[in-house]
Amino acid sequence: MGLTFKENVRDIRNSKSFEVIKFLETKGFFVHAYDKYVDYKSAKKLKINLVKKINSNFYDGLIILVPHDYFRRIEKKILKSI
């Protein structure tokens, strides 16, 4: 969760999140990414599997890579559901 280069912005340039995703994928993990600030066309160009909604019951784990304010607001809700 979180793909931009810093919290609460849309800019994905120089984001380290993509390195983390690629690393996890090389280890055999299937990764979904979520960030409401990121344009879906940009994610497709970067070959990132960007989802529009998080269903926390579907995942084995969640990693917040960029601490957007909206993640802080929903953090308790997500943690309660897992």
Side-chain angles (χ1 to χ4, degrees):
M1 295 171 50
L3 297 172
T4 61
F5 86 99
K6 71 176 192 173
E7 62 272 4
N8 305 317
V9 299
R10 293 189 177 278
D11 194 351
I12 60 173
R13 292 175 296 168
N14 301 316
S15 173
K16 299 298 181 188
S17 297
F18 300 106
E19 292 177 26
V20 174
I21 291 169
K22 293 298 181 191
F23 173 78
L24 291 170
E25 289 175 339
T26 64
K27 297 299 181 185
F29 292 96
F30 183 72
V31 179
H32 283 167
Y34 174 75
D35 193 322
K36 75 175 189 176
Y37 287 114
V38 174
D39 176 52
Y40 287 87
K41 290 178 185 176
S42 300
K44 283 185 180 181
K45 290 178 188 174
L46 296 169
K47 299 180 182 174
I48 300 297
N49 188 13
L50 189 64
V51 296
K52 294 183 180 185
K53 184 179 177 185
I54 292 291
N55 178 355
S56 58
N57 295 325
F58 177 76
Y59 301 103
D60 293 326
L62 297 172
I63 301 172
I64 298 175
L65 297 171
V66 182
H68 295 305
D69 287 344
Y70 69 91
F71 288 151
R72 292 184 187 138
R73 289 191 298 270
I74 64 171
E75 179 180 14
K76 290 179 185 177
K77 182 180 176 183
I78 290 172
L79 291 175
K80 284 181 182 179
S81 68
I82 55 175

